[in-house]
Coordinates of all heavy atoms in Angstrom, one line a residue:
L198 N -36.7 -5.0 -5.1 CA -36.8 -4.2 -6.3 C -37.7 -3.0 -6.0 O -38.7 -3.2 -5.4 CB -37.3 -5.0 -7.5 CG -36.3 -5.9 -8.2 CD1 -36.9 -6.7 -9.3 CD2 -35.1 -5.1 -8.8
H199 N -37.4 -1.9 -6.5 CA -38.0 -0.6 -6.2 C -39.5 -0.8 -6.1 O -40.2 -1.1 -7.1 CB -37.7 0.5 -7.2 CG -38.1 1.8 -6.8 ND1 -38.5 2.8 -7.7 CD2 -38.1 2.4 -5.6 CE1 -38.8 3.9 -7.1 NE2 -38.6 3.7 -5.8
D200 N -40.1 -0.5 -4.9 CA -41.5 -0.8 -4.7 C -42.3 0.4 -4.0 O -43.2 0.2 -3.3 CB -41.7 -2.1 -3.8 CG -41.0 -1.9 -2.5 OD1 -40.3 -0.9 -2.2 OD2 -41.1 -2.8 -1.6
E201 N -41.8 1.6 -4.3 CA -42.5 2.8 -3.7 C -43.5 3.3 -4.8 O -43.1 3.5 -6.0 CB -41.5 3.9 -3.4 CG -40.7 3.5 -2.1 CD -41.5 3.6 -0.8 OE1 -42.6 4.2 -0.9 OE2 -41.1 3.1 0.2
P202 N -44.7 3.6 -4.4 CA -45.7 4.2 -5.4 C -45.4 5.6 -5.9 O -45.6 6.0 -7.0 CB -47.0 4.1 -4.7 CG -46.7 3.8 -3.3 CD -45.4 3.3 -3.2
A203 N -44.8 6.4 -5.0 CA -44.6 7.8 -5.3 C -43.2 8.0 -5.9 O -42.2 7.2 -5.6 CB -44.7 8.7 -4.1
H204 N -43.0 9.0 -6.8 CA -41.7 9.3 -7.4 C -40.7 9.7 -6.2 O -41.2 10.4 -5.3 CB -41.8 10.5 -8.3 CG -40.6 10.7 -9.2 ND1 -39.4 11.1 -8.6 CD2 -40.3 10.4 -10.5 CE1 -38.5 11.2 -9.6 NE2 -39.0 10.8 -10.7
P205 N -39.5 9.2 -6.2 CA -38.6 9.5 -5.1 C -38.4 11.0 -4.9 O -38.0 11.4 -3.8 CB -37.3 8.8 -5.5 CG -37.5 8.1 -6.8 CD -38.9 8.3 -7.2
M206 N -38.6 11.8 -5.9 CA -38.4 13.2 -5.8 C -39.3 13.8 -4.7 O -39.1 14.8 -4.1 CB -38.6 13.9 -7.1 CG -37.6 15.0 -7.4 SD -37.9 15.7 -9.0 CE -36.7 14.9 -10.0
T207 N -40.5 13.1 -4.5 CA -41.5 13.6 -3.5 C -41.0 13.4 -2.1 O -41.4 14.0 -1.1 CB -42.8 12.9 -3.6 OG1 -42.6 11.5 -3.3 CG2 -43.4 13.1 -5.0
G208 N -40.1 12.4 -1.9 CA -39.6 12.1 -0.5 C -40.7 11.4 0.3 O -40.6 11.2 1.5
K209 N -41.8 11.0 -0.4 CA -42.9 10.3 0.4 C -42.7 8.8 0.3 O -42.9 8.2 -0.8 CB -44.2 10.7 -0.2 CG -44.6 12.1 0.1 CD -46.0 12.5 -0.4 CE -46.3 13.9 -0.2 NZ -47.2 14.5 -1.1
Y210 N -42.3 8.2 1.4 CA -42.0 6.8 1.3 C -42.9 6.0 2.2 O -43.2 6.4 3.3 CB -40.5 6.6 1.9 CG -39.5 7.4 1.1 CD1 -38.5 8.1 1.8 CD2 -39.5 7.3 -0.3 CE1 -37.6 8.8 1.1 CE2 -38.5 8.1 -1.0 CZ -37.6 8.8 -0.3 OH -36.6 9.5 -1.0
E211 N -43.4 4.9 1.6 CA -44.4 4.0 2.4 C -43.6 3.0 3.2 O -44.1 2.5 4.2 CB -45.3 3.3 1.4 CG -46.4 4.2 0.9 CD -47.5 3.4 0.2 OE1 -47.4 2.1 0.1 OE2 -48.4 4.0 -0.2
H212 N -42.5 2.5 2.7 CA -41.9 1.3 3.3 C -40.7 1.7 4.3 O -40.0 2.6 4.0 CB -41.4 0.4 2.2 CG -42.4 0.0 1.3 ND1 -43.5 -0.8 1.7 CD2 -42.6 0.2 0.0 CE1 -44.3 -1.0 0.7 NE2 -43.8 -0.4 -0.4
Q213 N -40.6 0.9 5.3 CA -39.6 1.2 6.3 C -38.2 1.0 5.7 O -37.3 1.7 6.0 CB -39.7 0.2 7.5 CG -38.9 0.6 8.7 CD -39.1 2.0 9.2 OE1 -40.3 2.5 9.3 NE2 -38.0 2.8 9.4
H214 N -38.1 0.0 4.7 CA -36.7 -0.2 4.1 C -36.3 1.1 3.4 O -35.1 1.4 3.4 CB -36.7 -1.5 3.3 CG -37.7 -1.5 2.2 ND1 -38.8 -2.4 2.2 CD2 -37.8 -0.9 1.0 CE1 -39.5 -2.3 1.2 NE2 -38.9 -1.3 0.4
T215 N -37.3 1.8 2.8 CA -36.9 3.0 2.1 C -36.5 4.1 3.0 O -35.6 4.9 2.8 CB -38.1 3.5 1.2 OG1 -38.7 2.3 0.5 CG2 -37.6 4.5 0.2
K216 N -37.3 4.2 4.1 CA -37.0 5.3 5.1 C -35.6 5.1 5.7 O -34.9 6.0 5.9 CB -38.1 5.3 6.2 CG -39.5 5.7 5.7 CD -40.6 5.6 6.7 CE -41.9 5.8 6.1 NZ -43.1 5.4 6.9
D217 N -35.3 3.8 6.0 CA -34.0 3.5 6.6 C -32.9 3.8 5.6 O -31.9 4.4 6.0 CB -33.9 2.0 6.9 CG -34.8 1.7 8.1 OD1 -35.3 2.6 8.8 OD2 -35.1 0.4 8.3
W218 N -33.1 3.5 4.3 CA -32.0 3.7 3.3 C -31.9 5.3 3.1 O -30.8 5.8 3.0 CB -32.4 3.0 2.0 CG -31.5 3.2 0.8 CD1 -31.9 3.5 -0.4 CD2 -30.1 3.0 0.8 NE1 -30.8 3.5 -1.2 CE2 -29.6 3.2 -0.5 CE3 -29.1 2.7 1.8 CZ2 -28.3 3.2 -0.9 CZ3 -27.8 2.6 1.4 CH2 -27.4 2.9 0.1
S219 N -33.1 5.9 3.1 CA -33.1 7.4 2.9 C -32.3 8.0 4.1 O -31.4 8.9 3.8 CB -34.5 7.9 3.0 OG -34.6 9.3 3.2
A220 N -32.4 7.6 5.3 CA -31.7 8.2 6.4 C -30.2 8.0 6.3 O -29.4 8.9 6.6 CB -32.3 7.6 7.7
R221 N -29.8 6.8 5.8 CA -28.4 6.6 5.7 C -27.7 7.4 4.7 O -26.7 8.0 4.9 CB -28.2 5.1 5.4 CG -28.6 4.2 6.6 CD -28.1 2.8 6.4 NE -26.7 2.6 6.6 CZ -26.1 1.5 6.6 NH1 -26.8 0.3 6.4 NH2 -24.8 1.4 6.8
V222 N -28.4 7.6 3.5 CA -27.8 8.4 2.5 C -27.9 9.8 2.8 O -26.9 10.6 2.6 CB -28.5 8.1 1.1 CG1 -28.0 9.0 0.0 CG2 -28.3 6.6 0.7
D223 N -29.0 10.2 3.4 CA -29.1 11.6 3.8 C -28.0 12.1 4.7 O -27.6 13.3 4.7 CB -30.5 11.8 4.5 CG -31.0 13.2 4.4 OD1 -30.8 13.8 3.3 OD2 -31.6 13.7 5.3
A224 N -27.6 11.2 5.6 CA -26.5 11.6 6.6 C -25.2 11.8 6.0 O -24.3 12.4 6.6 CB -26.5 10.5 7.7
A225 N -25.0 11.3 4.8 CA -23.6 11.4 4.1 C -23.3 12.7 3.5 O -24.2 13.4 3.0 CB -23.5 10.3 3.1
D226 N -22.1 13.1 3.6 CA -21.6 14.3 2.9 C -20.9 14.0 1.6 O -20.6 14.8 0.7 CB -20.6 15.1 3.8 CG -21.3 15.6 5.0 OD1 -22.2 16.4 4.9 OD2 -21.0 15.1 6.1
A227 N -20.5 12.7 1.5 CA -19.8 12.2 0.3 C -20.1 10.7 0.2 O -20.4 10.1 1.2 CB -18.3 12.4 0.4
V228 N -20.0 10.2 -1.0 CA -20.3 8.8 -1.3 C -19.2 8.1 -2.1 O -18.7 8.8 -3.0 CB -21.7 8.6 -2.0 CG1 -22.0 7.2 -2.3 CG2 -22.8 9.3 -1.1
V229 N -18.9 6.9 -1.8 CA -18.1 6.1 -2.7 C -18.8 4.8 -3.0 O -19.3 4.1 -2.1 CB -16.7 5.8 -2.1 CG1 -16.0 4.7 -2.9 CG2 -15.8 7.0 -2.1
M230 N -18.9 4.5 -4.3 CA -19.6 3.3 -4.7 C -18.6 2.3 -5.2 O -17.7 2.5 -6.0 CB -20.6 3.6 -5.9 CG -21.7 4.6 -5.5 SD -22.7 5.1 -6.9 CE -23.9 6.1 -6.0
V231 N -18.6 1.1 -4.5 CA -17.6 0.0 -4.8 C -18.4 -1.0 -5.7 O -19.2 -1.7 -5.2 CB -17.2 -0.7 -3.5 CG1 -16.2 -1.8 -3.8 CG2 -16.5 0.4 -2.6
T232 N -18.0 -0.9 -7.0 CA -18.9 -1.7 -7.9 C -18.1 -2.7 -8.8 O -17.0 -2.4 -9.2 CB -19.6 -0.7 -8.9 OG1 -20.4 -1.4 -9.8 CG2 -18.6 0.1 -9.8
P233 N -18.7 -3.8 -9.0 CA -18.2 -4.8 -10.0 C -18.6 -4.4 -11.4 O -19.4 -3.5 -11.5 CB -18.9 -6.1 -9.6 CG -20.2 -5.7 -9.1 CD -20.0 -4.3 -8.4
E234 N -18.0 -5.0 -12.4 CA -18.5 -4.9 -13.7 C -19.2 -6.1 -14.1 O -18.6 -7.2 -14.1 CB -17.4 -4.6 -14.7 CG -17.9 -4.3 -16.1 CD -16.8 -3.8 -17.1 OE1 -16.4 -2.7 -16.9 OE2 -16.4 -4.6 -17.9
Y235 N -20.5 -6.0 -14.4 CA -21.3 -7.2 -14.9 C -21.8 -6.8 -16.3 O -22.5 -5.8 -16.5 CB -22.6 -7.4 -14.0 CG -22.3 -7.9 -12.6 CD1 -23.4 -8.0 -11.7 CD2 -21.1 -8.4 -12.2 CE1 -23.2 -8.5 -10.5 CE2 -20.9 -8.9 -10.9 CZ -22.0 -8.9 -10.1 OH -21.8 -9.4 -8.8
N236 N -21.4 -7.6 -17.3 CA -21.8 -7.4 -18.7 C -21.7 -6.0 -19.1 O -22.6 -5.3 -19.6 CB -23.3 -7.9 -18.8 CG -23.4 -9.4 -18.6 OD1 -22.5 -10.1 -18.9 ND2 -24.5 -9.8 -17.9
Y237 N -20.5 -5.5 -18.9 CA -20.0 -4.1 -19.3 C -20.8 -3.0 -18.6 O -20.8 -1.9 -19.1 CB -20.2 -3.9 -20.8 CG -19.4 -4.8 -21.7 CD1 -19.5 -4.8 -23.1 CD2 -18.5 -5.8 -21.2 CE1 -18.8 -5.6 -23.9 CE2 -17.7 -6.6 -22.0 CZ -17.9 -6.5 -23.4 OH -17.1 -7.3 -24.2
A238 N -21.4 -3.3 -17.5 CA -22.1 -2.3 -16.7 C -21.9 -2.4 -15.2 O -21.3 -3.4 -14.8 CB -23.6 -2.4 -17.1
F239 N -22.5 -1.5 -14.4 CA -22.5 -1.8 -13.0 C -23.7 -2.7 -12.7 O -24.5 -2.9 -13.5 CB -22.5 -0.4 -12.2 CG -23.7 0.4 -12.5 CD1 -24.8 0.5 -11.6 CD2 -23.7 1.3 -13.6 CE1 -25.9 1.3 -11.9 CE2 -24.8 2.1 -13.9 CZ -25.9 2.1 -13.0
N240 N -23.7 -3.2 -11.4 CA -24.7 -4.2 -11.2 C -26.1 -3.7 -10.8 O -26.3 -2.5 -10.5 CB -24.2 -5.2 -10.1 CG -24.1 -4.5 -8.7 OD1 -23.8 -3.3 -8.6 ND2 -24.4 -5.2 -7.7
A241 N -27.1 -4.5 -11.0 CA -28.5 -4.1 -10.9 C -28.8 -3.7 -9.5 O -29.6 -2.8 -9.3 CB -29.4 -5.3 -11.3
A242 N -28.2 -4.3 -8.4 CA -28.5 -3.9 -7.1 C -28.2 -2.5 -6.8 O -28.8 -1.7 -6.1 CB -27.8 -4.8 -6.1
L243 N -27.1 -2.0 -7.4 CA -26.7 -0.6 -7.2 C -27.6 0.3 -7.9 O -28.0 1.4 -7.4 CB -25.2 -0.4 -7.7 CG -24.6 1.0 -7.6 CD1 -24.7 1.5 -6.1 CD2 -23.2 1.0 -8.1
K244 N -28.0 0.0 -9.1 CA -29.0 0.9 -9.8 C -30.3 1.0 -9.0 O -30.9 2.0 -8.9 CB -29.3 0.3 -11.2 CG -30.3 1.1 -12.1 CD -29.7 2.4 -12.4 CE -30.4 3.1 -13.6 NZ -31.8 3.3 -13.5
N245 N -30.7 -0.2 -8.5 CA -32.0 -0.2 -7.7 C -31.8 0.7 -6.4 O -32.7 1.5 -6.1 CB -32.2 -1.6 -7.2 CG -33.6 -1.8 -6.6 OD1 -34.6 -1.4 -7.1 ND2 -33.6 -2.5 -5.5
A246 N -30.6 0.6 -5.8 CA -30.4 1.4 -4.6 C -30.4 2.9 -4.9 O -30.8 3.8 -4.1 CB -29.1 1.0 -3.9
I247 N -29.8 3.3 -6.1 CA -29.8 4.7 -6.5 C -31.2 5.1 -6.8 O -31.7 6.2 -6.4 CB -28.9 4.9 -7.8 CG1 -27.4 4.6 -7.4 CG2 -29.0 6.3 -8.3 CD1 -26.5 4.5 -8.7
D248 N -32.0 4.3 -7.5 CA -33.3 4.7 -8.0 C -34.3 4.9 -6.8 O -35.3 5.7 -7.0 CB -33.9 3.6 -8.9 CG -33.2 3.5 -10.2 OD1 -32.5 4.5 -10.6 OD2 -33.4 2.5 -10.9
Y249 N -34.1 4.3 -5.7 CA -35.0 4.4 -4.6 C -35.1 5.9 -4.1 O -36.1 6.3 -3.5 CB -34.5 3.6 -3.4 CG -35.2 2.3 -3.2 CD1 -34.8 1.1 -3.7 CD2 -36.4 2.3 -2.5 CE1 -35.4 -0.1 -3.5 CE2 -37.1 1.1 -2.3 CZ -36.6 -0.1 -2.8 OH -37.4 -1.2 -2.6
L250 N -34.0 6.7 -4.2 CA -34.0 8.0 -3.6 C -33.7 9.0 -4.7 O -33.4 8.7 -5.8 CB -32.8 8.0 -2.6 CG -32.8 6.9 -1.5 CD1 -31.6 7.0 -0.6 CD2 -34.1 6.9 -0.7
N251 N -33.8 10.3 -4.3 CA -33.5 11.4 -5.2 C -32.8 12.5 -4.4 O -31.6 12.7 -4.5 CB -34.7 11.9 -5.9 CG -34.4 12.9 -7.0 OD1 -34.1 14.0 -6.7 ND2 -34.3 12.5 -8.2
R252 N -33.6 13.2 -3.6 CA -33.0 14.4 -2.9 C -31.8 14.1 -2.0 O -31.0 14.9 -1.8 CB -34.1 15.1 -2.1 CG -35.1 15.8 -3.0 CD -36.1 16.6 -2.2 NE -37.0 15.8 -1.4 CZ -38.1 16.2 -0.9 NH1 -38.4 17.5 -0.9 NH2 -38.8 15.4 -0.2
E253 N -31.8 12.8 -1.5 CA -30.8 12.4 -0.5 C -29.4 12.4 -1.2 O -28.4 12.4 -0.6 CB -31.1 11.0 0.0 CG -32.4 11.0 0.9 CD -33.6 10.8 0.0 OE1 -33.6 11.0 -1.2 OE2 -34.7 10.4 0.6
W254 N -29.4 12.2 -2.6 CA -28.1 12.1 -3.3 C -27.6 13.5 -3.7 O -26.4 13.7 -4.0 CB -28.3 11.3 -4.6 CG -28.8 9.9 -4.4 CD1 -29.9 9.3 -4.9 CD2 -28.0 8.8 -3.9 NE1 -30.0 8.0 -4.6 CE2 -28.8 7.6 -4.0 CE3 -26.8 8.7 -3.2 CZ2 -28.4 6.4 -3.6 CZ3 -26.4 7.4 -2.8 CH2 -27.2 6.3 -2.9
R255 N -28.5 14.4 -3.8 CA -28.3 15.7 -4.5 C -27.1 16.5 -4.0 O -26.9 16.6 -2.8 CB -29.5 16.6 -4.4 CG -30.4 16.4 -5.6 CD -31.5 17.5 -5.5 NE -32.8 16.8 -5.9 CZ -33.9 17.4 -5.7 NH1 -34.0 18.6 -5.2 NH2 -35.0 16.8 -6.1
Y256 N -26.3 17.0 -4.9 CA -25.1 17.8 -4.6 C -24.2 17.2 -3.6 O -23.7 17.9 -2.7 CB -25.6 19.2 -4.1 CG -26.6 19.9 -5.1 CD1 -27.8 20.2 -4.7 CD2 -26.2 20.0 -6.4 CE1 -28.7 20.8 -5.6 CE2 -27.1 20.5 -7.4 CZ -28.3 20.9 -7.0 OH -29.2 21.4 -7.9
K257 N -24.0 15.9 -3.8 CA -22.9 15.2 -3.0 C -21.9 14.7 -3.9 O -22.2 14.2 -5.0 CB -23.6 14.1 -2.2 CG -24.5 14.6 -1.1 CD -25.1 13.5 -0.2 CE -26.0 14.2 0.8 NZ -26.8 13.2 1.6

Side-chain angles (χ1 to χ4, degrees):
L198 281 177
H199 190 216
D200 60 354
E201 288 288 343
H204 192 290
M206 223 178 257
T207 64
K209 288 182 185 154
Y210 303 132
E211 279 193 2
H212 301 295
Q213 192 57 45
H214 55 253
T215 316
K216 292 174 187 167
D217 292 345
W218 180 227
S219 165
R221 292 190 75 173
V222 174
D223 204 38
D226 298 294
V228 175
V229 167
M230 297 172 175
V231 180
T232 183
E234 182 171 289
Y235 289 172
N236 297 322
Y237 298 178
F239 59 100
N240 67 326
L243 181 55
K244 181 67 162 56
N245 190 48
I247 294 169
D248 291 345
Y249 256 99
L250 308 177
N251 186 284
R252 287 188 291 193
E253 297 85 341
W254 300 116
R255 272 187 217 168
Y256 307 123
K257 293 185 179 174

